[in-house]
Amino acid sequence: MRGVVMRAVPPLAAALAVWGCGGGAPTPTTPLAPLVAPPSRPPALPAGWTRVADRRQGVSFGLPPGWRATRGHGTVQV
């Protein structure tokens, strides 16, 4: 008798697993907005400083007096 019960357990467990999974309506989801920071105005620079801006890269920074920046092939060298 024990052998019959032991052979019936795996098919019974598989049937219960299939019966218990899914079957309901899918849960509705809400799309998320992309995590992109809104553009902000750069702060004022100290007297004599020069602003270097690269709109394509979305960056700007200030150079102190006497410093210079050169652009080339998508880069800015200071």
Side-chain angles (χ1 to χ4, degrees), residues 20-51:
C21 293
T27 304
T29 59
T30 303
L32 297 175
L35 299 176
V36 177
S40 60
R41 295 192 72 81
L45 295 175
W49 285 52
T50 306
R51 180 170 316 280

Side-chain angles (χ1 to χ4, degrees), residues 1-15:
M1 179 74 174
R2 182 177 175 175
V4 173
V5 171
M6 294 305 283
R7 280 182 278 162
V9 169
L12 179 61

